Amino acid sequence: MIKTRFAPSPTGYLHIGGLRTALYNYLYAKQNGGVFALRIEDTDQKREVAGAVESLILTLQKMGLDWDEGPMMDKDLNLTEKGQNGPYLQSKRLKIYQEYAQKLIDSKNAYFCDCTPERLDKLRQEQEAQKLAPRYDGHCRDKAPISKLQFPDKPYVIRLRVPENREVVFNDLIRGEVKFKTSEIDDQVLIKSDGFPTYHLANVVDDHLMAVTHVIRGEEWLSSTPKHILLYEAFGWTLPQFSHLPLLLNPDKSKLSKRQGDVAVEDYLAKGYLPEALINYVALLGWHPSDDQEIFSLNELVKSFDLCKVQKAGAVFDVNKLNWFNCYYIKQLPEDELLKRCAEFLPNVDKDKLLKILKVEKDRLNNLSEIGEKVKMFLELPDYDGKILIFKKSTKETTVTGLKLALAVLENVPENEWQKENLNQILSKVVTENSLTNGDVFWPVRVAVSGAEKSPSPEEIMDVLGKEESLARIKTAIDRLNK
Ligand code: GLU
């Protein structure tokens, strides 16, 4: 039975890269009829952020990546969990790690170390002065085992005894054969002086106890893998299959960072990016189908995704491309669904009016929260500079003429014929019958009703505004020009 897991540390938000890792784990498990688990790696007390676990889980739930095992938030927003291998929060498993650390002590694969921070600092400084990579010097390796009873006041850690002069070799599904020399691996701390495990110990113990068969994670963990392999060996456990996903990069090829834009999935959701667009886009960060298909639903991804075809090179996260996907998915949403999702951003706008506005604006939305901006001109005429009413190839006189002629004909349009197709024909007639240009009629009418230099077409806006408001706005424009 194939089993994957997503094992985030609750840092306060779900990184876009984390979403991709979760997705690839989900896809691999689902396409193989396997199990996808969620485990929260919250053993770093220093980095704990209040509420981070809950919000991480909620965000993952919103993204629709249903896991078979792991912690969840129920309807009343209480933390629960499902599955036979819990608890799934590492902070609830401390005893287990201590027990397994003791096994490593007993088998001499780990040792107690009571070096003081001062000694370790000094060691680091000496190594730096000699331009050596900082690492533990094995000072406590051969000391007799200590226990808390013997040294009640002395803090200690437990370290992995990394074998000397060996090569750790493994086959990564994405990277192929990867080799590390043990001479480059530090005697890693496994249990910290506060009794908490480090990532390495907790991660390996849990992957084994939770029967994880495939470890799919970001490239930043590649250098941890030999340490993990040494731990598996020390315990006598079978190795999982490792796959390390390529880094996500900014467009300038630096590592994707907050400084160059949003990296938190929560921020994208808050701006009105659709989960389906985010999923589709991140799926393609490092993997491409053999043909040119770009649009994939989650189910289609389950069918098409191929872990072995994930690239090694870093993948550029391009928010413009994400916008393209988001626009696509916004256009695909059924009207009532779009209305529902936009209404979350505009709780105070009349639903019928919003629906009309959405008909005009939906193809231009990069995200749902933009509707907040787009809606403004429909609700109230923005203050604008009268000069923008005059098209660059027109004059004030022809503009006033155009507006007055348009107003005169529009006044005679019956309410029930006030629709964009009609309105377009009427404005066209004003142009042709009076030997005017589009710049004398369509341009100023559009600016008059939108109050903006750029906007949808005049007929679309007038259709939403209705006759009375449209005529009032055109009159206002004429007054401005006549001033
Ligand atoms: N807790 C690690 C993280 O935050 C998990 C790495 C792994 O999947 O092994 O990414």
Side-chain angles (χ1 to χ4, degrees):
M1 167 68 95
I2 282 183
K3 184 163 179 185
T4 63
R5 84 317 190 252
F6 178 48
S9 302
T11 52
Y13 62 92
L14 174 61
H15 192 280
I16 269 290
L19 175 63
R20 183 193 58 178
T21 303
L23 175 64
Y24 284 7
N25 275 286
Y26 170 89
L27 297 175
Y28 192 73
K30 294 293 146 187
Q31 66 188 195
N32 288 294
V35 170
F36 172 50
L38 174 67
R39 177 176 76 229
I40 303 291
E41 301 208 324
D42 59 344
T43 57
D44 193 347
Q45 295 297 88
K46 277 188 239 113
R47 287 174 55 196
E48 211 180 84
V49 183
V53 172
E54 289 80 359
S55 85
L56 179 65
I57 296 173
L58 273 178
T59 306
L60 279 167
Q61 284 179 192
K62 280 189 202 149
M63 298 311 297
L65 299 178
D66 294 331
W67 46 97
D68 306 291
E69 280 181 25
M72 331 195 347
M73 299 298 286
D74 69 13
K75 281 197 294 317
D76 305 318
L77 298 184
N78 292 317
L79 193 57
T80 61
E81 51 178 49
K82 57 180 172 183
Q84 303 297 314
N85 297 289
Y88 294 91
L89 259 56
Q90 288 188 329
S91 56
K92 301 228 154 66
R93 301 170 63 83
L94 299 184
K95 274 224 177 82
I96 302 178
Y97 309 126
Q98 280 157 5
E99 187 190 310
Y100 280 90
Q102 186 62 48
K103 286 188 200 226
L104 293 176
I105 298 272
D106 296 345
S107 64
K108 305 228 172 350
N109 284 299
Y111 59 92
F112 290 106
C113 165
D114 59 358
C115 287
T116 59
E118 293 74 30
R119 179 177 185 275
L120 296 175
D121 269 354
K122 200 164 154 248
L123 179 64
R124 197 175 311 122
Q125 281 165 15
E126 285 166 9
Q127 287 167 336
E128 270 166 22
Q130 294 176 53
K131 305 236 172 332
L132 296 170
R135 54 180 303 180
Y136 184 62
D137 61 355
H139 183 73
C140 292
R141 270 190 158 214
D142 301 314
K143 272 194 191 169
I146 59 168
S147 75
K148 239 194 154 106
L149 283 178
Q150 278 172 283
F151 292 91
D153 304 321
K154 221 170 169 187
Y156 62 84
V157 300
I158 295 178
R159 289 184 183 271
L160 176 65
R161 188 188 303 274
V162 174
E164 283 162 55
N165 301 323
R166 261 199 52 198
E167 209 170 38
V168 179
V169 186
F170 64 97
N171 196 37
D172 187 285
L173 272 185
I174 296 168
R175 267 144 228 283
E177 193 176 78
V178 183
K179 289 184 189 166
F180 285 91
K181 289 198 177 79
T182 54
S183 58
E184 285 155 13
I185 304 172
D186 209 357
D187 274 5
Q188 192 65 55
V189 173
L190 301 176
I191 298 274
K192 295 176 278 187
S193 54
D194 60 6
F196 277 67
T198 54
Y199 153 70
H200 305 287
L201 178 68
N203 187 273
V204 166
V205 167
D206 286 349
D207 280 344
H208 173 73
L209 294 182
M210 295 178 183
V212 169
T213 60
H214 287 71
V215 169
I216 304 168
R217 63 184 168 204
E219 185 183 300
E220 60 273 33
W221 305 105
L222 188 62
S223 61
S224 297
T225 305
K227 299 172 192 169
H228 298 183
I229 292 177
L230 292 173
L231 279 169
Y232 279 98
E233 285 180 8
F235 283 120
W237 294 338
T238 317
L239 288 183
Q241 174 66 60
F242 292 101
S243 307
H244 289 88
L245 307 176
L247 285 179
L248 293 190
L249 308 174
N250 291 308
D252 68 1
K253 302 283 160 77
S254 57
K255 196 174 161 194
L256 185 65
S257 67
K258 261 197 247 180
R259 254 169 286 132
Q260 297 200 22
D262 287 329
V263 293
V265 173
E266 289 83 347
D267 290 341
Y268 285 102
L269 289 175
K271 282 188 184 161
Y273 282 83
L274 306 187
E276 40 280 58
L278 284 161
I279 292 278
N280 194 156
Y281 180 54
V282 302
L284 299 173
L285 292 174
W287 168 78
H288 304 278
S290 33
D291 57 15
D292 290 337
Q293 186 176 347
E294 286 199 291
I295 299 297
F296 287 90
S297 67
L298 192 55
N299 282 337
E300 286 168 331
L301 285 170
V302 170
K303 289 199 196 96
S304 306
F305 176 70
D306 186 348
L307 185 61
C308 297
K309 293 224 174 95
V310 169
Q311 71 195 38
K312 280 186 246 175
V316 173
F317 177 81
D318 176 3
V319 78
N320 296 320
K321 189 77 192 174
L322 171 62
N323 286 343
W324 181 85
F325 278 99
N326 207 41
C327 286
Y328 172 85
Y329 280 97
I330 289 175
K331 275 185 225 160
Q332 299 302 308
L333 280 183
E335 229 162 54
D336 52 344
E337 182 61 26
L338 179 64
L339 182 67
K340 199 172 99 203
R341 297 208 205 180
C342 281
E344 284 172 29
F345 293 89
L346 290 168
N348 300 324
V349 177
D350 173 71
K351 293 263 172 3
D352 291 337
K353 183 128 199 168
L354 186 54
L355 190 58
K356 275 189 153 184
I357 297 171
L358 282 172
K359 282 193 177 140
V360 177
E361 296 288 1
K362 96 177 200 183
D363 292 356
R364 298 182 185 85
L365 288 179
N366 280 326
N367 59 59
L368 299 182
S369 71
E370 279 181 6
I371 192 68
E373 270 306 306
K374 308 259 190 221
V375 131
K376 282 186 185 156
M377 72 166 171
F378 293 99
L379 301 182
E380 197 179 350
L381 178 64
D383 190 23
Y384 64 94
D385 180 352
K387 284 197 209 101
I388 65 169
L389 287 161
I390 305 166
F391 182 61
K392 57 181 186 298
K393 289 188 186 155
S394 303
T395 62
K396 186 169 163 181
E397 290 65 39
T398 52
T399 306
V400 175
T401 311
L403 280 173
K404 282 189 173 160
L405 288 167
L407 179 67
V409 222
L410 290 170
E411 273 171 340
N412 292 325
V413 178
E415 290 277 0
N416 61 359
E417 287 173 25
W418 193 268
Q419 288 137 7
K420 61 178 181 212
E421 293 76 15
N422 273 341
L423 297 170
N424 175 283
Q425 281 175 15
I426 288 166
L427 293 182
S428 292
K429 261 201 201 156
V430 175
V431 173
T432 48
E433 287 176 2
N434 300 288
S435 309
L436 291 168
T437 66
N438 283 348
D440 302 325
V441 179
F442 278 89
W443 176 277
V445 172
R446 189 183 58 67
V447 176
V449 293
S450 66
E453 220 163 347
K454 284 189 188 143
S455 75
S457 68
E459 61 272 18
E460 284 176 301
I461 302 175
M462 290 196 290
D463 193 346
V464 177
L465 291 178
K467 183 172 171 182
E468 195 184 325
E469 177 66 17
S470 304
L471 297 183
R473 289 186 183 195
I474 296 172
K475 282 180 198 148
T476 306
I478 296 171
D479 289 348
R480 276 201 187 182
L481 287 172
N482 283 337
K483 254 186 214 157

